[in-house]
């Protein structure tokens, strides 16, 4: 066998090996990207469930006479803001905007629930008690969905950043995804004072 034929065979084998590695890595990137999209969809679904519950609670409270209208208005505005933010999971800034809007809604709703405590006849209605239970369950679902999303992002980012995946990720235009981060200030314990 001639040396040139042997060189061509070696080059051909190397190209096939490189193509096989590229194909495997590409497929893994696509699978990871799809898993992240599915996990994000679960996060959005649970936030939508919470928004729907908040709407129902607001409607129940609106039926209560003499309830503080400014607190209700604040929740309604925060809910409208939270539902209007569109997220591109490839854009960390849009994810941060979404997270901030959801935080504002949760904060406004927390103030609404605190004010609702001052209305004993509202607290005793079955629908209001049911909403409180459903909201607690929904908050747990949201937490699990965010955790699952971050786990998928972590696995994907590791593949995108480690060798040889990092070489192929750049070639195929796959980039790191943003994690869902804790709200600002949640790393500090709340200062609780009892009278």
């Amino acid at each position: 066998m001639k040396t040139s034929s042997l060189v061509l065979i070696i080059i051909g084998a190397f190209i096939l090996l490189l193509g096989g590695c590229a194909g495997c890595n590409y497929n893994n990137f696509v699978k990871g990207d799809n898993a992240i999209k599915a996990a994000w969809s679960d996060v959005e679904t649970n936030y939508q469930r919470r928004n729907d519950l908040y709407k129902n609670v607001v409607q129940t409270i609106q039926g209560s006479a003499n309830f503080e209208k400014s607190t209700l208005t604040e929740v309604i505005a925060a809910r409208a803001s939270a539902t209007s933010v569109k997220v591109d999971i490839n854009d960390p800034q849009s994810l941060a905007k979404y997270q901030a809007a959801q935080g504002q809604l949760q904060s406004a709703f927390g103030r609404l629930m605190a004010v609702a405590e001052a209305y004993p006849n509202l607290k005793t209605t079955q629908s209001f008690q049911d909403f409180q239970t459903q909201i607690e369950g929904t908050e747990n679902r949201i937490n699990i969905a965010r955790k699952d999303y971050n786990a998928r992002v972590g696995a994907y980012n590791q593949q995108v950043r480690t060798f040889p995946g990092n070489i192929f990720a750049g070639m195929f235009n796959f980039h790191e995804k943003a994690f869902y981060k804790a709200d600002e200030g949640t790393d500090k314990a709340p200062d609780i004072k009892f009278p």
Side-chain angles (χ1 to χ4, degrees):
M1 197 187 280
K2 290 184 175 180
T3 307
S4 62
S5 296
L6 184 60
V7 169
L8 286 176
I9 291 173
I10 292 172
I11 291 173
F14 179 73
I15 289 172
L16 284 174
L17 179 66
L18 187 63
C21 286
C24 286
N25 276 286
Y26 179 82
N27 290 341
N28 288 334
F29 294 141
V30 170
K31 287 176 190 173
D33 188 54
N34 286 338
I36 289 171
K37 288 176 183 172
W40 180 252
S41 179
D42 290 344
V43 170
E44 286 183 318
T45 298
N46 284 299
Y47 274 120
Q48 183 61 51
R49 183 181 195 301
R50 181 174 76 178
N51 288 335
D52 293 345
L53 284 172
Y54 283 7
K55 178 182 176 186
N56 291 337
V57 170
V58 167
Q59 289 173 346
T60 299
I61 292 173
Q62 280 178 326
S64 177
N66 302 321
F67 194 80
E68 297 179 25
K69 301 295 183 202
S70 63
T71 307
L72 271 175
T73 304
E74 187 179 330
V75 172
I76 292 168
R79 184 179 175 277
S81 174
T83 57
S84 69
V85 176
K86 300 297 177 216
V87 178
D88 175 4
I89 60 173
N90 296 314
D91 178 15
Q93 291 175 339
S94 75
L95 185 60
K97 285 180 187 176
Y98 183 81
Q99 189 172 349
Q102 291 297 330
Q104 288 172 343
L105 174 59
Q106 189 172 17
S107 175
F109 191 78
R111 287 189 294 279
L112 177 68
M113 295 304 285
V115 170
E117 290 293 319
Y119 293 84
N121 55 337
L122 175 63
K123 289 186 343 185
T124 60
T125 64
Q126 186 61 43
S127 61
F128 188 74
Q129 291 172 0
D130 290 346
F131 287 135
Q132 287 179 309
T133 303
Q134 289 178 29
I135 287 168
E136 182 180 328
T138 299
E139 292 300 327
N140 289 335
R141 289 178 183 171
I142 288 170
N143 188 43
I144 290 168
R146 289 187 303 214
K147 182 180 172 189
D148 290 347
Y149 171 78
N150 280 343
R152 303 279 180 162
V153 168
Y156 173 84
N157 286 350
Q158 182 175 349
Q159 185 180 14
V160 167
R161 295 186 65 209
T162 56
F163 183 80
N166 59 349
I167 294 169
F168 297 112
M171 287 173 44
F172 297 126
N173 201 27
F174 286 96
H175 305 285
E176 284 186 75
K177 305 281 187 190
F179 286 97
Y180 200 103
K181 297 180 182 171
D183 293 334
E184 194 84 16
T186 56
D187 57 335
K188 295 172 182 61
D191 185 22
I192 301 173
K193 295 179 182 173
F194 294 99

